[in-house]
Structures are given as structure tokens and as C-alpha cells.
Amino acid sequence: MKNLLIIVIISCLFSQTNIKILKAEISYNGSHPFHQWTGISKDLSLDLNCIEKDKMCDYLFSVPWISFNSGNDNRDNNMFYYVNAYEFQKIEMKFIDVKFDSLQQNNSENLNLEGILSIAGTDKKISIPLNIDIINSHFEIQSEFIIKLSDFHIERPTLLMIPIKNEIIINISFKGLITI
């Protein structure tokens, strides 16, 4: 019985799909009547948990706030303050029980995926569009969607007593490798 348990544990450890992110870029685009800006991070991490027999996976993507750079240190520090980045150090997007067995190699797919976005200590269920390209064991994923600062209870910074727009455009692009 003990040997059977060891075999089951080892087979579970080595049968799971692994995904390695090779290149990533996440950006947010904000605007104010007097100017627009973009903050960029290349620091995307992924925690993956799959049940191989069901081909179901849980994905947890995270990006540290401190990794975003808009080219203006004062603006970045101001953003860290308003999103409470010192207490909630990461943005997280969690997808649970995702089944991708319909995706084919050497194919492109467009789909919407529901998940939980966590920003500044607030979780919100959102649906985001994904464009997924798979060629052999390599993949590329791109997405663009809009979030509202008010949905995450984030006070909007002001310039000359005029607040920035409530809507922030998020762009995500990453490439990776799937190994089994």
C-alpha cells in the first residue's frame, strides 16, 4: 500500500503540464485632460496547478506594483500611493478550473475567460478577451481590456483639481513554452 501511494504521488508530480513564460509585457494606460501615460512591467509570474486527467488547471498570474515604470518616478510613486502598493504589493489575476483541451496545436483561438482580478485588496470577477496562438509547444497570448478604478475602491489622483479618468486600459502580451 505504501509503494502504491509513492507511485501515485510521483506520477502526479511528473505528469503535470508545465508552462514557462519566456517574455511578457503588461501595460496600463491612463489619461487626464492634460496628458496620457503608460506604465509598463515585464515581470509576470505564473503559479499553475493542473489535474492532468481532467485537463483542468488553476492559473494565478501576478505582477509586482514596483515593477511598473511610466518613465516618471513621481507619477510612479503617486500610483503606488493610490493603489496602496506597500500593503498590497501585487496585482493578481486568478482563473480557476480552466479547461483548454479544445485548443489545438498550430492554431489561433479567440475566447473570453472569466477570472478574479485582485487590485489594492479588492477582488472583482471579470471576463477578459484572449487571443491565443499555439505553434508546436510555444504559445503567445494577448489581451486588452478596461478596468475602472472605482471598482477597486481606488481614489483617483487629481492634477489641477481635475481627477484622472476612471477607466484604465490594460494590455497584456506574453510568450511561453508548454512542457509535459
Side-chain angles (χ1 to χ4, degrees), residues 3-168:
N3 290 339
L4 179 61
L5 181 60
I6 292 171
I7 290 170
V8 169
I9 291 171
I10 290 173
S11 67
C12 286
L13 288 173
F14 290 105
S15 67
Q16 286 195 355
T17 301
N18 290 310
I19 295 177
K20 180 178 182 182
I21 296 174
L22 303 174
K23 182 180 179 183
E25 182 172 295
I26 300 91
S27 66
Y28 68 88
N29 301 286
S31 66
H32 184 273
F34 298 127
H35 70 287
Q36 296 182 355
W37 65 94
T38 299
I40 297 173
S41 173
K42 297 180 184 290
D43 190 4
L44 176 68
S45 64
L46 168 64
D47 289 326
L48 175 68
N49 183 21
C50 292
I51 301 171
E52 193 65 32
K53 69 178 177 118
D54 297 330
K55 297 185 181 181
M56 301 283 282
C57 294
D58 296 343
Y59 298 83
L60 176 62
F61 293 93
S62 62
V63 182
W65 281 112
I66 198 110
S67 69
F68 282 96
N69 184 344
S70 70
N72 181 320
D73 289 342
N74 288 332
R75 181 174 35 236
D76 293 340
N77 286 331
N78 199 35
M79 182 261 304
F80 297 153
Y81 170 78
Y82 280 96
V83 298
N84 200 5
Y86 303 106
E87 183 176 349
F88 303 102
Q89 298 178 0
K90 294 181 180 182
I91 303 165
E92 294 183 337
M93 185 72 190
K94 185 185 305 185
F95 301 101
I96 298 174
D97 294 336
V98 178
K99 193 169 188 173
F100 281 122
D101 65 341
S102 65
L103 295 178
Q104 302 294 318
Q105 287 192 350
N106 303 322
N107 196 16
S108 289
E109 294 274 340
N110 291 311
L111 54 98
N112 284 317
L113 194 58
E114 255 188 25
I116 305 292
L117 180 60
S118 300
I119 298 177
T122 301
D123 295 344
K124 178 155 177 58
K125 188 176 197 176
I126 66 169
S127 179
I128 64 169
L130 295 175
N131 179 314
I132 303 172
D133 292 318
I134 300 174
I135 299 173
N136 298 323
S137 59
H138 290 82
F139 66 89
E140 183 173 348
I141 297 177
Q142 296 182 347
S143 182
E144 179 176 298
F145 57 97
I146 295 173
I147 63 166
K148 292 183 178 183
L149 296 174
S150 58
D151 287 344
F152 297 94
H153 310 289
I154 297 171
E155 181 184 345
R156 293 188 292 162
T158 61
L159 177 64
L160 301 174
M161 298 177 38
I162 301 171
I164 68 169
K165 284 183 93 175
N166 191 34
E167 293 80 19
I168 302 293

